[in-house]
Amino acid sequence: MIIIGGGVGPMAGVLLHRKIIEATRTDGTDQDHLEVLHISRSPIIGDRTEYLQGKDVPDPAEGMFRVLHMATAAMAAEGSSDYPAGKAVAGIPCNTFHAPEIFRKFLSLLDGADIPVQTVNMIDETVQEVAARVSSRGTVGLLSTTGTRVSGVYHDYFRSGGYTVLEIPEEEQPALHEAIYHRAWGLKAVSPPDGRAVDRVFGYARELVRAGAEIVILGCTELPLAVPEGLVEGVPTIDPMTALARALVREEAPEKLRPLQEGGG
Amino acid sequence: MIIIGGGVGPMAGVLLHRKIIEATRTDGTDQDHLEVLHISRSPIIGDRTEYLQGKDVPDPAEGMFRVLHMATAAMAAEGSSDYPAGKAVAGIPCNTFHAPEIFRKFLSLLDGADIPVQTVNMIDETVQEVAARVSSRGTVGLLSTTGTRVSGVYHDYFRSGGYTVLEIPEEEQPALHEAIYHRAWGLKAVSPPDGRAVDRVFGYARELVRAGAEIVILGCTELPLAVPEGLVEGVPTIDPMTALARALVREEAPEKLRPLQEGGG
């Protein structure tokens, strides 16, 4: 079973869920799809950027641990024959959640409670996808929340691989964060997205391309709501959620992973 | 907590989940959204039309009962303070599942196992929405799977209200069913939808309008993938999933139901 640790944010979980369905190769029937347990408990999971900034919000690692605890109880209720220990694979559709301060604590909580769920790391999967498309010593553009930026979660991976990571000027970062978080017109607040947020994110993507990015990572799960995966001024954008969805299908049932060239995946 | 009894089909659950988020009025933060437990177990839930036709497929009522059993175990694991008995409300995003032969058995299985979950009936909610927009003795167009059509689930409700129910000619019904079910290009098989399926469904919606329908019910959860809720030749189409999503939010947290005129709902 695939577990979506959702609620970070709620719509990001829905996008990941859709991508899992689209990445699954089936015989065309409902019944040939993979089982998905999608738990969205945003009220108990504090904002990841605010947590990293030391604000007084519920610990995201503890909230997500409770989600996985709930998932484990659900699976146990349905018998060990369907779900042998270690058979479930979980993904968390939030880049900032993968900041080491949060993700490591989450993994240690799972270990301590002996929760038999394998976790896929969205950042690892995205870095591998970038490495398959951009040569080492290349330049990678990154758009993200302030939390992801400050935590350096992508930077550490890429610098060790010899890449240059390009971001928007630091003084512009609050404006990008606002496009995601503004309570009236931000990507988290409004569906479908507001033109202001879309224009601002597109503008920053273009800036990174003009500054030399060979690929642009849409490093917050809400950003692809504004800039779809594809090309910006001829340069590919990459949605970490696609990498996560494909990794979840691959780990759950490798024979069902739809090749990328079949489309939709 | 809102429970989505998903997997019927997998993408229908994702659409319902999105509509729940869009129907929720929040302060613009992730944390102000409702908790959703979305369980998609399509392999254990037989096709509803095939079941109604007497084919040898897993009983959809029993499969969905196992989904609700799983949901109950999940909620119990997280303590009774968060989820007092009777607080959860569940919806099943499949019109054909609401055929009396399936839905009544499902409800009686829940009753028998003392599962404390309230169920919202998508057909009831859709009928109420139609009644608010079309006067009694009016003409209601219905597009659906063969299973929904043959089971008469909508007909019984509307006829008792004095409405005339208009469907496509019976000899055309297999072609409509095929647009949903074809394993290479049907709406269940391909995402985003194939032009053949879209054209066929649009054509049938137009036929109903020309024959006098004052509203067209997109009476299978995959149909709105082809014909969005809106207008066809000036006549409104109605997506039962929107009615279901709004009813789930209303039952879970009435103060959070976004008024329809705010858009997005």
Side-chain angles (χ1 to χ4, degrees), chain B residues 114-152:
Chain B
D114 203 23
I115 288 192
V117 173
Q118 177 198 347
T119 309
V120 167
N121 183 317
M122 178 163 66
I123 313 295
D124 282 358
E125 298 294 335
T126 304
V127 168
Q128 285 172 35
E129 181 66 27
V130 169
R133 295 163 76 172
V134 177
S135 63
S136 186
R137 301 186 192 282
T139 301
V140 176
L142 173 64
L143 295 174
S144 71
T145 63
T146 301
T148 295
R149 180 176 184 143
V150 170
S151 75

Side-chain angles (χ1 to χ4, degrees), chain A residues 22 35 38 40-41 45 191, chain B residues 22 31 36 41 83 191:
Chain A
E22 292 177 350
E35 299 201 8
H38 178 172
S40 184
R41 305 189 66 193
I45 303 173
S191 173
Chain B
E22 291 178 348
Q31 288 71 32
V36 176
R41 304 189 67 192
Y83 307 102
S191 173

Side-chain angles (χ1 to χ4, degrees), chain A residues 141-161:
Chain A
L142 173 64
L143 295 173
S144 71
T145 64
T146 302
T148 295
R149 179 176 185 142
V150 171
S151 76
V153 51
Y154 276 106
H155 307 67
D156 297 346
Y157 277 99
F158 280 118
R159 286 191 185 135
S160 67

Side-chain angles (χ1 to χ4, degrees), chain B residues 148-186:
Chain B
T148 295
R149 180 176 184 143
V150 170
S151 75
V153 52
Y154 276 106
H155 306 68
D156 298 346
Y157 277 97
F158 280 118
R159 285 189 187 138
S160 67
Y163 292 89
T164 300
V165 177
L166 205 61
E167 290 179 286
I168 62 172
E170 204 168 335
E171 64 272 20
E172 297 284 335
Q173 179 62 35
L176 173 57
H177 194 81
E178 183 184 53
I180 301 167
Y181 276 88
H182 194 282
R183 292 192 177 197
W185 53 267

Side-chain angles (χ1 to χ4, degrees), chain A residues 34-50:
Chain A
L34 299 171
E35 299 201 8
V36 177
L37 179 54
H38 178 172
I39 305 184
S40 184
R41 305 189 66 193
S42 44
I44 66 165
I45 303 173
D47 183 75
R48 284 65 65 198
T49 290
E50 288 184 354

Side-chain angles (χ1 to χ4, degrees), chain A residues 21-26 246 256-260 262-265, chain B residues 189:
Chain A
I21 294 169
E22 292 177 350
T24 306
R25 184 184 223 164
T26 70
R246 294 183 58 79
K256 282 190 177 283
L257 181 62
R258 184 189 287 251
L260 272 173
E262 276 186 28

Side-chain angles (χ1 to χ4, degrees), chain A residues 214-259:
Chain A
E214 297 165 65
I215 197 165
V216 175
I217 298 176
L218 303 168
C220 165
T221 43
E222 273 81 16
L223 291 175
L225 298 169
V227 179
E229 212 168 14
L231 295 176
V232 169
E233 306 211 336
V235 163
T237 57
I238 182 166
D239 180 355
M241 249 191 323
T242 304
L244 177 59
R246 294 183 58 79
L248 288 167
V249 173
R250 181 194 72 217
E251 295 302 313
E252 174 75 1
E255 74 285 1
K256 282 190 177 283
L257 181 62
R258 184 189 287 251

